[in-house]
């Protein structure tokens, strides 16, 4: 496999790089063209080595000169000594040959003595002993040469001294040149022998052709080791070779996707951004000739352009070896679960015996998720102090301990599902707000899920749970967070005083908290606001008991027996927002058209007195009765269930009535979209159409449910839809699950930066008690109180300090 190695030095004007190929025996044309540059780069490196060696040589020369100067100094001292002694002894010098011969003879006699003197006095032992004797106080060390001077003067004249000195100079110069090479110029000692040898090798290296140099360097052991090191750092896969680069439409589509949070804030809807992405992909389909045939077919058949775009970008980045481990705010190091089973924590805002949707449906969800035995399940419900229980729970039912309430919940559930559900029930502190008619968490709810179980979180009503959440971010503690929207809060708020202004702010706050704390949001119907990261899917089923009632009714009808002996009824909590306003308006407007039509109404609630007074004032044919369980025997014989509510997200009572085989008359509204496929569901668009649907239902018999329709209403089907639309089927069936999915993301997302910033800002704002009260929070809900500590055996609030996840 070919590898390219590019120098980090500035490129040459004539070439752009060097290419080495280990798969071919002869050099390529590009290699031949770039050989000159390679030789220049290598020559430059050798020149640097030579310059360094020259510098070392100069230093060595200086040291040699210092040795030479020392020797010359010693020679001059000897010469001066000889001159002085000779001149004092022989004022007149003879120049005869006989005299010169005598001088030479004297030098021959004196030379051994001088050499012995030098040897003895230059020995290290003598120097050490002398220095120890004289010590540091002596500034100079002198040698008394008077005896030698007298001996030499007595036997030596001037000419003899000059001859001896010349012979000594010649001898020293020859010895010095034995160590240094001959000089290249006059007055120069030349190069040192090792350097001269190195220069000769450089000359041989320069004489070789560049082509021979490259071939030899290519096959050298150094290059092979270097190539092996690069291959160990990066191994190119076959898949990476087949991944084409991103083109312009894909880059533009990615830009639009990343800008969705900003575009949403300036009023550009998400569906418009999706259409832009879709159109860009259609533009890309005109250039699919560049892609392999298999990849082309997958792209054309894939309708989910958003997911395909994310996968496409990730594949391109991963093919380059890029790896992304985290974002600016996001913590990817999730707690590892010691067991092989995955953990699912379902957190909701209500609990039995309060018969509300957020108490019943999460309970069934926990039971059916635990039924598969593929994952451990914990249901986390609020615990109310006894004073709040009296305000919320019906029939003055209260509990003295969480264990007592848990026993009640399990008994109620097993009577309806027919099997023992193996899941845990955990409680968190909650407080009831009379003004909002809701339960709000007290303190950080996430801390009541142990870290070892913090794997997957299902937040029932995520906006409600997080309005005043002040604690660790859910998406930091859990690997995957799914929110399920139950309630159309905007519809309820609009009915209050100054409702339009309140709804405006609540709309943005809901967007804020769901974006910051959820990975995926499921909306039960289109009746809710369009939240970030959301899809529409009904993930609720009906109690199996209602399906059993429907089967019994179908058997009676098949035997020719009268299955329904009563007319129409309505059942719901008696508050205006639950459809009672619409019901009274329709009955009053078409009182004469409906004639003797009577409607039984079952329900209890805060607005019961006002609702009944309004019906009596208009003299409507409404018979008000106390609230009952929808599975009560007294309700089995009714044939028609009327539900005019347009504030519900997905009415559980409507699904239960269809499961029992009854007619359902309801508004043509997004909240009823799921029920339109059932033949017994009669929807109306106008008030006149309402009268026609009521008469049609009263004059006909409902059709028995088919097995497919019964399965679609069951909790088994609802659980299957939930697993699919929340991505839990992919996560739970994956060995590494959400950890590997999050780790495999290859690019930091602009969404992550925005979501993290929103979560941090929300944490800061909810930490201020004054701002909490101004925004409508229940007082003293920033943390739990002493009564909660006593009931739930918790650490006192003063000792507990919630820690934010960044």
């Amino acid at each position: 496999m070919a590898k390219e190695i590019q120098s980090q030095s500035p490129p040459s004007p004539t070439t752009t790089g060097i290419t080495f190929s280990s798969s071919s025996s002869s050099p390529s044309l590009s290699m031949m063209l770039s050989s000159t540059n390679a030789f220049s780069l290598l020559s430059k490196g050798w020149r640097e080595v030579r310059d360094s060696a020259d510098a070392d040589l100069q230093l060595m020369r200086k040291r040699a000169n210092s040795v030479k100067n020392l020797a010359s100094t010693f020679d001059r001292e000897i010469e001066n000594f000889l001159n002085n002694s000779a001149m004092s002894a022989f004022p007149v010098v003879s120049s005869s040959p006989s005299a010169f011969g005598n001088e030479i003879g004297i030098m021959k006699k004196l030379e051994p003595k001088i050499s012995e003197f030098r040897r003895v006095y230059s020995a290290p032992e003598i120097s050490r002993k002398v220095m120890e004797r004289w010590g540091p106080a002596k500034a100079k060390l002198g040698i008394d040469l008077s005896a030698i001077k007298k001996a030499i003067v007595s036997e030596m004249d001037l000419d003899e001294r000059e001859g001896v000195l010349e012979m000594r100079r010649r001898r020293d110069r020859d010895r010095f040149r034995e160590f240094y090479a001959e000089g290249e110029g006059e007055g120069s000692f030349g190069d040192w022998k090792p350097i001269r040898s190195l220069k000769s090798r450089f000359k041989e290296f320069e004489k070789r052709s560049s082509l021979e140099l490259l071939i030899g360097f290519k096959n050298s052991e150094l290059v092979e080791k270097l190539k092996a090191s690069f291959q160990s750092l990066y191994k190119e896969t076959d898949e990476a070779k087949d991944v084409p680069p991103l083109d312009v439409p894909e880059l533009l589509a990615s830009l639009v996707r990343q800008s969705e949070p900003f575009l949403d804030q300036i009023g550009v809807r998400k569906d418009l951004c999706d259409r832009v992405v879709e159109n860009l992909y259609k533009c890309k389909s005109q250039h699919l000739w560049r892609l392999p045939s298999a990849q082309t077919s997958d792209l054309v058949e894939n309708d989910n352009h958003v997911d395909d775009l994310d996968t496409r970008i990730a594949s391109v980045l991963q093919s380059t070896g890029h790896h992304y481990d985290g974002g600016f705010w996001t913590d990817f190091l999730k707690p590892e679960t010691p067991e092989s089973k995955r953990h699912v924590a379902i957190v909701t805002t209500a609990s039995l015996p309060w018969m509300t949707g957020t108490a019943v449906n999460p309970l069934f969800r926990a039971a059916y998720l635990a039924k598969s035995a593929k994952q451990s399940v914990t249901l986390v419900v609020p615990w109310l102090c006894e004073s709040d229980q009296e305000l919320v729970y019906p029939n003055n039912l209260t509990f003295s301990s969480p264990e007592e309430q848990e026993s009640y919940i399990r008994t109620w559930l097993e009577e309806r599902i027919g099997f023992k559900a193996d899941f845990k029930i955990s409680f968190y502190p909650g407080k009831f707000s009379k003004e909002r008619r809701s339960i709000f968490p007290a303190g950080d709810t996430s801390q009541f899920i142990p870290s070892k179980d913090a794997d997957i979180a299902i937040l029932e009503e995520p906006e409600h749970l997080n309005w005043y959440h002040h604690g660790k971010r859910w998406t930091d503690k859990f690997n995957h967070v799914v929110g399920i929207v139950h309630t159309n809060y905007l519809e309820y708020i609009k009915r209050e005083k100054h409702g339009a202004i309140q709804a405006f702010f609540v709309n943005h706050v809901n967007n804020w908290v769901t974006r910051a704390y959820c990975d995926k949001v499921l909306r039960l119907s289109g009746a809710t606001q369009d939240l970030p990261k959301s899809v529409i899917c009904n993930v609720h089923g009906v109690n199996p008991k209602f399906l059993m009632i429907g089967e019994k009714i179908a058997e009676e009808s098949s035997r020719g027996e009268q299955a329904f002996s009563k007319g129409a009824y309505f059942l719901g909590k008696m508050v205006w927002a639950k459809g009672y306003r619409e019901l009274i308006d329709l009955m009053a407007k078409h009182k004469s058209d409906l004639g003797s039509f009577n409607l039984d109404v079952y329900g209890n609630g805060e607005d019961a007195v006002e609702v009944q007074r309004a019906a009596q004032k208009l003299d409507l044919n409404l018979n008000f009765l106390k609230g009952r369980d929808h599975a009560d025997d007294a309700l089995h014989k009714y044939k028609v269930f009327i539900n005019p509510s347009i504030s519900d997200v997905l009415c559980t009572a409507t699904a239960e009535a269809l499961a029992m085989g009854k007619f359902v008359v309801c508004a043509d509204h997004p909240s009823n979209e799921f029920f339109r496929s059932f033949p017994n569901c009669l929807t109306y668009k106008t008030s006149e159409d309402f009268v026609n649907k009521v008469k049609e239902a009263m004059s006909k018999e409902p059709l028995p449910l088919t097995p497919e329709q019964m399965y679609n209403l069951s909790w088994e089907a609802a659980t299957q839809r939930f697993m699919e639309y929340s991505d839990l089927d992919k996560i739970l069936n994956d060995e590494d699950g959400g950890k590997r999915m999050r780790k495999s993301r290859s690019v930091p997302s602009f969404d992550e930066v925005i979501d993290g910033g929103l979560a941090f800002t929300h944490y800061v704002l909810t930490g201020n008690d004054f701002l909490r009260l101004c925004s409508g929070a229940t007082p003293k809900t920033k943390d739990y109180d002493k009564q909660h500590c006593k009931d739930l055996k918790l650490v006192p609030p003063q000792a507990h300090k919630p820690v934010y996840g960044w």
Side-chain angles (χ1 to χ4, degrees):
M1 179 168 53
K3 295 290 182 180
E4 292 188 5
I5 306 176
Q6 295 185 353
S7 173
Q8 294 182 359
S9 59
S12 173
T14 58
T15 184
T16 58
I18 310 171
T19 303
F20 301 96
S21 175
S22 60
S23 60
S24 60
S25 59
S26 61
S28 62
L29 179 59
S30 60
M31 181 188 300
M32 298 176 65
L33 293 176
S34 60
S35 60
T36 303
N37 186 44
F39 175 72
S40 64
L41 293 176
L42 294 173
S43 298
K44 180 181 178 181
W46 288 122
R47 285 195 302 270
E48 292 177 355
V49 172
R50 188 178 64 183
D51 294 342
S52 177
D54 288 340
D56 294 338
L57 178 60
Q58 294 296 332
L59 179 61
M60 297 170 69
R61 283 178 176 176
K62 291 180 181 179
R63 293 178 178 175
N65 290 331
S66 65
V67 174
K68 176 186 174 183
N69 294 334
L70 182 62
S72 301
T73 302
F74 185 79
D75 288 341
R76 284 196 301 269
E77 291 179 357
I78 295 296
E79 183 178 358
N80 294 333
F81 164 72
L82 293 175
N83 292 333
N84 294 333
S85 60
M87 291 299 295
S88 62
F90 306 105
V92 179
V93 179
S94 176
S95 60
S96 64
S98 60
F100 181 77
N102 294 332
E103 292 173 0
I104 295 299
I106 293 172
M107 288 302 302
K108 289 180 178 180
K109 293 178 181 180
L110 290 175
E111 186 174 2
K113 296 180 180 181
I114 296 174
S115 299
E116 181 66 20
F117 172 79
R118 285 180 177 178
R119 184 182 64 80
V120 171
Y121 275 85
S122 62
E125 294 81 6
I126 298 299
S127 301
R128 184 174 64 253
K129 291 180 180 180
V130 172
M131 293 303 297
E132 289 177 356
R133 179 179 178 183
W134 287 85
K138 298 294 182 178
K140 295 178 64 177
L141 181 63
I143 300 176
D144 187 7
L145 300 177
S146 60
I148 300 176
K149 177 180 179 182
K150 293 177 181 180
I152 294 175
V153 168
S154 63
E155 299 184 11
M156 185 177 178
D157 58 9
L158 182 60
D159 293 337
E160 289 177 342
R161 290 200 307 273
E162 291 179 355
V164 170
L165 293 175
E166 182 64 26
M167 290 171 59
R168 185 169 287 111
R169 292 192 190 101
R170 202 164 38 243
R171 183 188 62 191
D172 292 339
R173 187 164 51 250
D174 292 341
R175 289 178 179 176
F176 188 76
R177 287 184 175 179
E178 287 180 1
F179 182 75
Y180 287 94
E182 289 292 336
E184 295 180 356
E186 185 177 359
S188 173
F189 284 100
D191 295 326
W192 190 28
K193 284 184 178 180
I195 301 302
R196 186 176 59 188
S197 177
L198 183 61
K199 284 185 176 181
S200 64
R201 293 186 181 183
F202 271 119
K203 292 179 180 179
E204 294 177 1
F205 177 78
E206 292 177 356
K207 291 179 181 179
R208 297 175 61 185
S209 65
S210 302
L211 194 58
E212 293 177 356
L213 172 67
L214 292 177
I215 294 175
F217 186 73
K218 177 191 68 177
N219 298 326
S220 65
E221 182 180 0
L222 176 63
V223 174
E224 295 298 328
K225 291 182 178 180
L226 185 62
K227 290 166 63 177
S229 301
F230 277 114
Q231 290 175 357
S232 64
L233 291 175
Y234 173 70
K235 294 182 179 179
E236 186 179 13
T237 61
D238 296 335
E239 292 80 1
K241 295 179 181 179
D242 297 334
V243 177
L246 295 173
D247 54 16
V248 175
E250 287 174 329
L251 292 174
L252 292 176
S254 176
L255 178 61
V256 174
R257 284 275 294 115
Q258 296 290 340
S259 303
E260 279 185 5
F262 172 73
L263 296 175
D264 179 65
Q265 296 299 322
I266 62 175
V268 179
R269 296 177 59 84
K270 184 178 182 298
D271 54 354
L272 178 59
C273 295
D274 292 339
R275 285 198 298 271
V276 172
V277 174
E278 182 179 355
N279 291 332
L280 288 171
Y281 255 75
K282 289 179 180 178
C283 176
K284 174 182 172 56
S285 64
Q286 300 175 2
H287 306 281
L288 293 179
W289 58 271
R290 296 186 299 171
L291 304 178
S293 58
Q295 190 173 354
T296 302
S297 60
D298 293 340
L299 183 60
V300 174
E301 294 176 1
N302 187 8
D303 293 332
N304 195 340
H305 303 290
V306 174
D307 291 343
D308 182 75
L309 177 62
D310 293 339
T311 304
R312 175 85 172 92
I313 295 175
S315 64
V316 172
L317 291 173
Q318 289 175 0
S319 68
T320 64
H322 175 72
H323 184 70
Y324 174 63
D325 284 330
F328 184 75
W329 302 97
T330 309
D331 176 18
F332 283 102
L333 299 177
K334 306 298 178 180
E336 298 290 341
T337 55
E339 304 175 7
S340 58
K341 263 190 176 183
R342 305 301 299 273
H343 296 270
V344 178
I346 303 176
V347 187
T348 186
T349 58
S351 177
L352 294 179
W354 191 11
M355 297 301 296
T356 183
T358 53
V360 175
N361 290 311
L363 180 60
F364 281 110
R365 194 183 329 281
Y368 281 89
L369 280 176
K371 185 179 180 181
S372 65
K374 292 182 179 179
Q375 57 275 332
S376 301
V377 179
T378 301
L379 178 64
V380 188
V381 297
W383 166 260
L384 299 178
C385 298
E386 189 171 354
S387 57
D388 283 341
Q389 293 181 31
E390 296 173 354
L391 299 175
V392 179
Y393 299 151
N395 303 322
N396 296 322
L397 184 61
T398 59
F399 305 98
S400 59
S401 67
E403 292 77 13
E404 184 179 351
Q405 186 172 2
E406 179 179 350
S407 177
Y408 175 89
I409 294 172
R410 293 190 182 277
T411 301
W412 184 93
L413 177 65
E414 292 176 5
E415 289 177 354
R416 285 156 178 80
I417 61 177
F419 62 89
K420 186 175 181 179
D422 184 16
F423 65 92
K424 295 190 298 183
I425 297 179
S426 178
F427 292 86
Y428 67 86
K431 292 186 178 182
F432 179 72
S433 172
K434 295 181 181 179
E435 296 77 12
R436 311 287 281 274
R437 298 173 183 176
S438 298
I439 298 174
F440 290 96
D444 180 10
T445 309
S446 67
Q447 67 176 312
F448 296 97
I449 299 102
S451 296
K452 64 183 182 64
D453 296 337
D455 187 9
I456 298 169
I458 302 173
L459 306 183
E460 310 277 351
E461 293 196 322
E463 66 275 58
H464 185 157
L465 284 170
N466 291 298
W467 278 334
Y468 306 106
H469 175 71
H470 183 71
K472 191 173 183 67
R473 187 183 177 189
W474 294 95
T475 51
D476 279 349
K477 184 169 185 177
F478 291 83
N479 293 305
H480 190 62
V481 181
V482 180
I484 303 178
V485 179
H486 289 248
T487 308
N488 189 357
Y489 288 106
L490 299 184
E491 184 65 27
Y492 292 148
I493 293 173
K494 289 177 182 178
R495 298 169 184 261
E496 299 177 358
K497 186 178 181 181
H498 307 298
I501 298 177
Q502 295 184 55
F504 172 80
F505 288 106
V506 171
N507 177 55
H508 288 279
V509 172
N510 289 346
N511 282 330
W512 183 352
V513 296
T514 53
R515 178 183 292 277
Y517 294 114
C518 295
D519 294 313
K520 196 71 175 283
V521 178
L522 302 181
R523 299 160 54 202
L524 298 179
S525 71
T528 61
Q529 70 180 92
D530 187 9
L531 294 170
K533 309 176 186 178
S534 66
V535 295
I536 297 175
C537 179
N538 174 23
V539 294
H540 286 178
V542 299
N543 187 335
K545 192 173 183 178
F546 294 102
L547 294 173
M548 294 173 60
I549 296 173
E551 291 177 350
K552 181 181 178 181
I553 295 296
E555 291 177 1
E556 293 176 357
S557 299
S558 64
R559 293 195 301 265
E561 300 177 4
Q562 185 179 4
F564 301 107
S565 58
K566 296 182 179 180
Y569 74 106
F570 174 59
L571 179 144
K573 185 178 180 180
M574 199 166 291
V575 292
W576 286 114
K578 283 293 185 181
Y580 285 91
R581 173 63 64 189
E582 291 82 358
L583 177 63
I584 289 179
D585 291 343
L586 288 171
M587 295 291 291
K589 184 176 182 180
H590 298 282
K591 181 179 179 180
S592 59
D593 297 330
L594 294 172
S596 59
F597 173 75
N598 292 299
L599 182 67
D600 294 336
V601 178
Y602 293 87
N604 301 318
E606 293 82 359
D607 297 334
V609 175
E610 295 181 9
V611 171
Q612 294 178 22
R613 186 180 298 135
Q616 293 174 359
K617 184 177 180 180
L618 296 172
D619 193 19
L620 302 178
N621 294 329
L622 299 177
N623 183 25
F624 292 95
L625 303 170
K626 290 185 178 181
R628 293 176 180 265
D629 190 329
H630 206 176
D632 193 279
D633 293 340
L635 304 178
H636 293 177
K637 295 299 180 178
Y638 283 100
K639 184 174 67 171
V640 181
F641 175 75
I642 295 179
N643 182 16
S645 174
I646 57 174
S647 61
D648 288 324
V649 173
L650 186 80
C651 185
T652 303
T654 299
E656 294 169 348
L658 288 173
M660 289 188 289
K662 305 176 186 297
F663 275 123
V664 173
V665 178
C666 58
D668 186 5
H669 188 262
S671 60
N672 299 316
E673 183 67 29
F674 177 77
F675 305 121
R676 289 179 182 174
S677 60
F678 294 87
N680 292 337
C681 180
L682 306 177
T683 60
Y684 63 89
K685 295 183 178 180
T686 63
S687 60
E688 292 77 11
D689 196 17
F690 167 76
V691 176
N692 296 331
K693 298 299 181 182
V694 169
K695 291 181 178 180
E696 179 183 353
M698 295 298 294
S699 61
K700 293 182 179 180
E701 292 296 321
L703 297 174
L705 294 177
T706 64
E708 181 181 1
Q709 292 169 350
M710 294 181 66
Y711 175 76
N712 289 336
L713 289 170
S714 68
W715 265 106
E716 288 84 358
T719 303
Q720 182 62 35
R721 293 192 296 267
F722 171 75
M723 297 290 289
E724 178 182 357
Y725 281 83
S726 64
D727 296 332
L728 285 189
D729 55 348
K730 300 177 183 178
I731 297 174
L732 295 177
N733 292 330
D734 193 345
E735 293 181 358
D736 294 329
K739 301 177 183 64
R740 188 172 72 181
M741 181 184 67
R742 297 173 73 90
K743 282 287 185 181
S744 66
R745 294 189 294 186
S746 300
V747 59
S749 173
F750 187 52
D751 288 353
E752 294 176 2
V753 178
I754 292 180
D755 296 349
L758 290 175
F760 179 77
T761 306
H762 183 262
Y763 175 82
V764 173
L765 295 178
T766 55
N768 187 287
D769 291 330
F770 176 76
L771 293 178
R772 292 173 67 94
L773 295 176
C774 291
S775 60
T778 303
K780 299 180 180 180
T781 55
K782 185 179 177 181
D783 215 330
Y784 42 81
D785 54 25
K786 294 182 179 179
Q787 187 60 43
H788 285 127
C789 296
K790 181 180 179 180
D791 295 343
L792 297 175
K793 301 179 177 60
L794 302 175
V795 178
Q798 292 79 6
H800 169 68
K801 295 181 180 180
V803 179
Y804 196 54
W806 285 286

